[in-house]
Amino acid sequence: MTGAKRKKKSMPWSKMHAPHCEDIKKWCRRQLPILEWAPQYNVKENLLPDTVSGIMLAIQQVTQGLAFAILSSVHPVFGLYGSLFPVIIYAIFGMGRHVATGTFALTSLISANAVERLVPQSSQNLTTQSNNSVLGLSEFEVQRISVAAAVSFLGGVIQLAMFVLQLGCATFLLSEPVISAMTTGAATHVVTSQVKYLLGMKMPYISGPLGFFYIYAYVFENIKSVRLEALLLSSLSIVVLVLVKELNEQFKRKIKVVLPVDLVLIVAASFACYCTNMEHTYGLAIVGHIPKGIPPPRAPPMNILSAVITEAFGVALVGYVASLALAQGSAKKFKYSVDDNQEFLAHGLSNVIPSFFFCIPSAAAMGRTAGLYSTGAKTQVACLISCVFILIVIYAIGPLLYWLPMCVLASIIVVGLKGMLIQFRDLKKYWNVDKIDWGIWVSTYIFTICFAANVGLLFGVVCTIALVIGRFPRGKTVSIKNLKEMEFKVKTEVDGETLQQVKIFSINNPLVFLNAKKFHTDLMNLIQKENASNQPLDDISKCEQNMLLNSLSNSNCDDEVSQPCPNEKCSLILDCSGLTFFDSSGVSMLVEVYMDCKNRSMDITLAHCTDSLIKAMQYCGNLDSEKPIFFESVSAAISTIHSNKVSRAS
């Protein structure tokens, strides 16, 4: 009896622990996305394209690592470390499968402010080379990378704190125009910082408010000191890079492997510089000595964290915003999801851990991510493969880069920023879609170039929220009471057993960047929920949704929405009579909803659309021109659907 009792008591104990272990496994898979995709990795299909992409990415990582390290005012070799360790960390914790993390122009530019302020160039003569220094570098270089590592460490800690506080939900405050303007303005800053190398000029470090204009003022005042050799070599490099990259883009479908023009240019320029001794003959600045190997880890100096807190916040916010935009774009393109909070964890660890290995602040870069797209990368394995080749450069090839001219490296940086700089074209879209968004873009860009990227970002967010709050009270909720007029069902047989049904959803409030993402998510979830339902096809219900800030979250249709069976073709009508105003994010989301429904073989139409909404949607997306999409009323849309159905049936 006693044994039986013990056995009975032990059963609940095992049941209590089984779910607990399962919860731990789920938590691990959630926090370590590599555990989700790595076991399902298809070696036969994915390894070859990932290897090719990894090789091409390694070339970009090396060139940008050297360049962004110099942009961060530290020795070039530390850029190679920054192209290695953050990539490994993000591959483990990050959710963006096609995102290339590593050194980043914007975070490098921000960290340079702290480096130049705490270890100015004037202190170089006061330091000497120590036998205990890192890789035989001078104490001056060690002090500089210590400051940059401190910025990376504290920036990562801030990102980890945001992960703990689950602040990823706050990213809906970042509208598309603000992100576009901020990154474009920051790219303009980076190009400006490279002017001295492109022109072969010696220029003091200039930063702070209006520093952008002071740099160009200095250039024009000292225009006679421009070295024509550097200018010609820079111009030639830019022309070659742009031309070959455009040809690669045009013929990427016909050629399996694109020409690594960055690598070819580096090799050719380094060889030419070595043969002609350009450093002494023409006075061209070169990269210089790059030591081999990776030094042992060392903790960043904690005593200067309070002095770099401003730059750390800039690195944390700007780096995360730019990286998240790329991760979300990647997820949208390749049909998977990205958790905003998990990205805080991934980028936080990608800054904290590498800071112990003399790394500058990191983030995802648009040029490298676009390179992964164009070369056909499938997963983060491509990034891990690039790390193997970066290790080869660090331990073997690095010293051969001694003769690389700085003007060529600056040219590679400028051309690499093309993706950000061409965002100026967004101005035309915003002008045609929503002129208020156009004004936000222009003002955010001006604040960014006048002050800094983090200041421009903050201004853009505050300005956008203020405008939306000012516009929302004018939005009046619209409720259509005459539902009997719209209780209509199309029931005809086509190809034997096909039944078409109409679903009507009402948008009763403004659609802007604050609720656009949730609108799309909730609408798609509702459609999926309906497809899983087995309700009888007796009538059609109109779901009236309150979309003020919660989009479709306050659904009152629940079980009232009639349901198509799997073999039916459903028609969806969006009643826009309550859509009192919208911005570019809202229009883009409506176009995305249209494309998603079209991919699901669902006919979608919009009723009660204003002329401005019709014009904006036609401008933003490739809508179907063969059949009408916009109607004056819901009844007109239903009648057209019914007529088309009858005509096809006959």
Side-chain angles (χ1 to χ4, degrees):
M1 264 316 258
T2 307
K5 286 181 181 179
R6 285 179 182 174
K7 193 171 184 180
K8 286 180 182 179
K9 287 181 180 179
S10 64
M11 287 175 67
W13 180 257
S14 63
K15 287 181 180 180
M16 287 174 63
H17 278 70
H20 183 64
C21 294
E22 203 55 42
D23 290 341
I24 293 176
K25 290 180 181 178
K26 287 182 179 178
W27 184 88
C28 290
R29 284 196 296 268
R30 191 166 61 248
Q31 306 306 328
L32 297 170
I34 193 172
L35 298 179
E36 287 285 343
W37 59 263
Q40 303 172 3
Y41 187 76
N42 191 322
V43 176
K44 182 180 289 187
E45 291 185 6
N46 298 338
L47 186 59
L48 181 59
D50 279 345
T51 302
V52 174
S53 296
I55 295 172
M56 302 302 294
L57 177 61
I59 296 169
Q60 284 184 297
Q61 289 277 30
V62 169
T63 55
Q64 292 185 3
L66 296 172
F68 295 157
I70 295 170
L71 184 61
S72 192
S73 297
V74 299
H75 193 279
V77 71
F78 298 118
L80 297 179
Y81 306 153
S83 301
L84 174 66
F85 294 104
V87 178
I88 299 172
I89 302 299
Y90 185 83
I92 298 172
F93 294 94
M95 297 189 72
R97 300 173 195 169
H98 303 79
V99 173
T101 307
T103 55
F104 185 43
L106 309 190
T107 54
S108 296
L109 198 62
I110 294 171
S111 66
N113 292 331
V115 173
E116 292 288 349
R117 189 179 73 251
L118 298 178
V119 190
Q121 194 73 30
S122 57
S123 65
Q124 183 173 8
N125 298 328
L126 303 178
T127 58
T128 58
Q129 189 166 348
S130 171
N131 293 329
N132 297 323
S133 65
V134 177
L135 299 174
L137 298 174
S138 67
E139 191 63 28
F140 172 76
E141 295 289 359
V142 175
Q143 290 176 7
R144 288 201 146 197
I145 187 56
S146 297
V147 174
V151 174
S152 178
F153 174 81
L154 187 56
V157 169
I158 292 171
Q159 290 173 330
L160 291 176
M162 291 177 175
F163 164 73
V164 173
L165 297 174
Q166 297 291 286
L167 293 182
C169 58
T171 55
F172 73 93
L173 297 173
L174 303 170
S175 66
E176 181 184 322
V178 171
I179 296 175
S180 174
M182 183 273 292
T183 52
T184 306
T188 308
H189 271 297
V190 175
V191 171
T192 302
S193 70
Q194 298 303 300
V195 167
K196 61 181 180 181
Y197 298 117
L198 295 172
L199 302 179
M201 296 177 63
K202 290 186 178 180
M203 183 188 303
Y205 182 78
I206 301 174
S207 65
L210 304 180
F212 173 85
F213 302 100
Y214 291 137
I215 290 175
Y216 286 105
Y218 183 92
V219 169
F220 285 113
E221 288 175 3
N222 300 271
I223 196 70
K224 293 182 180 179
S225 62
V226 172
R227 292 189 178 275
L228 292 178
E229 296 83 3
L231 179 59
L232 290 173
L233 187 55
S234 301
S235 303
L236 180 62
S237 299
I238 291 174
V239 169
V240 170
L241 286 167
V242 171
L243 184 61
V244 175
K245 286 179 184 261
E246 285 297 323
L247 290 174
N248 282 338
E249 189 67 24
Q250 290 291 329
F251 298 102
K252 64 181 180 181
R253 294 183 179 179
K254 297 181 180 179
I255 54 177
K256 295 183 179 179
V257 181
V258 297
L259 177 66
V261 62
D262 293 6
L263 177 63
V264 173
L265 183 62
I266 287 173
V267 172
S270 300
F271 183 73
C273 184
Y274 171 76
C275 293
T276 59
N277 197 15
M278 290 184 185
E279 181 186 12
H280 299 99
T281 306
Y282 303 110
L284 292 184
I286 59 174
V287 170
H289 174 62
I290 301 218
K292 291 182 181 179
I294 299 175
R298 180 191 297 181
M302 301 299 168
N303 58 326
I304 64 170
L305 293 183
S306 59
V308 300
I309 191 167
T310 304
E311 289 80 10
F313 266 104
V315 163
L317 295 178
V318 173
Y320 173 75
V321 168
S323 302
L324 181 65
L326 292 174
Q328 290 176 339
S330 168
K332 181 179 177 180
K333 184 179 180 69
F334 296 99
K335 307 298 181 185
Y336 60 89
S337 61
V338 169
D339 184 356
D340 298 348
N341 286 307
Q342 181 64 26
E343 290 298 290
F344 265 130
L345 174 65
H347 288 289
L349 293 175
S350 296
N351 276 312
V352 170
I353 297 175
S355 68
F356 289 81
F357 294 90
F358 304 95
C359 292
I360 59 178
S362 66
M366 182 181 290
R368 296 194 300 266
T369 302
L372 287 180
Y373 292 170
S374 62
T375 52
K378 302 298 183 182
T379 64
Q380 279 289 325
V381 170
C383 298
L384 294 175
I385 290 173
S386 74
C387 293
V388 176
F389 292 94
I390 293 171
L391 277 172
I392 295 173
V393 173
I394 291 174
Y395 280 96
I397 304 176
L400 300 178
L401 298 172
Y402 178 95
W403 295 99
L404 177 61
M406 289 297 300
C407 59
V408 173
L409 201 55
S411 301
I412 294 173
I413 294 177
V414 171
V415 175
L417 293 171
K418 175 190 169 187
M420 291 184 182
L421 294 173
I422 61 175
Q423 290 179 133
F424 277 110
R425 295 186 301 189
D426 292 345
L427 283 171
K428 184 179 179 181
K429 179 184 77 173
Y430 296 133
W431 181 262
N432 285 280
V433 175
D434 185 14
K435 291 179 175 58
I436 291 180
D437 277 351
W438 183 89
I440 290 173
W441 196 103
V442 172
S443 57
T444 302
Y445 177 80
I446 291 173
F447 262 74
T448 301
I449 64 171
C450 288
F451 300 99
N454 49 346
V455 177
L457 179 64
L458 181 62
F459 169 81
V461 170
V462 172
C463 183
T464 306
I465 294 174
L467 285 171
V468 170
I469 291 174
R471 295 169 79 186
F472 257 116
R474 297 199 298 272
K476 297 180 181 179
T477 302
V478 177
S479 297
I480 300 178
K481 297 178 181 179
N482 191 12
L483 295 179
K484 291 183 179 180
E485 180 186 348
M486 279 167 264
E487 287 181 359
F488 185 86
K489 186 174 181 180
V490 179
K491 216 171 186 182
T492 49
E493 292 185 1
V494 179
D495 298 329
E497 296 288 334
T498 302
L499 184 69
Q500 179 168 348
Q501 187 181 19
V502 179
K503 304 291 178 196
I504 308 171
F505 298 96
S506 177
I507 304 174
N508 292 330
N509 268 294
L511 185 59
V512 294
F513 74 99
L514 290 171
N515 61 352
K517 184 178 178 181
K518 195 172 190 305
F519 162 73
H520 177 268
T521 302
D522 289 348
L523 183 60
M524 292 298 108
N525 287 341
L526 186 58
I527 291 173
Q528 289 178 356
K529 178 183 175 182
E530 290 178 0
N531 289 338
S533 175
N534 293 317
Q535 300 209 350
L537 303 170
D538 294 332
D539 58 11
I540 290 178
S541 298
K542 180 179 178 72
C543 296
E544 296 185 5
Q545 307 298 343
N546 182 0
M547 290 180 50
L548 184 58
L549 287 177
N550 295 324
S551 183
L552 293 169
S553 59
N554 300 325
S555 175
N556 60 2
C557 56
D558 293 333
D559 296 331
E560 296 178 8
V561 181
S562 55
Q563 202 47 69
C565 50
N567 294 326
E568 294 175 353
K569 185 176 182 181
C570 182
S571 293
L572 177 67
I573 299 176
L574 288 180
D575 178 12
C576 301
S577 56
L579 186 56
T580 50
F581 71 86
F582 52 86
D583 64 5
S584 57
S585 299
V587 173
S588 298
M589 196 55 69
L590 281 175
V591 172
E592 187 175 340
V593 166
Y594 172 82
M595 298 306 298
D596 284 347
C597 289
K598 194 174 179 182
N599 292 335
R600 293 169 184 259
S601 298
M602 295 178 63
D603 290 330
I604 179 170
T605 56
L606 289 86
H608 295 113
C609 298
T610 61
D611 292 340
S612 59
L613 178 61
I614 295 173
K615 178 183 176 183
M617 288 190 66
Q618 289 174 337
Y619 185 84
C620 286
N622 296 320
L623 305 181
D624 194 348
S625 58
E626 295 181 358
K627 53 185 178 180
I629 300 171
F630 305 101
F631 293 89
E632 294 182 356
S633 65
V634 174
S635 300
I638 294 176
S639 299
T640 302
I641 293 171
H642 179 54
S643 300
N644 292 339
K645 193 69 177 177
V646 171
S647 63
R648 285 198 299 266
S650 60

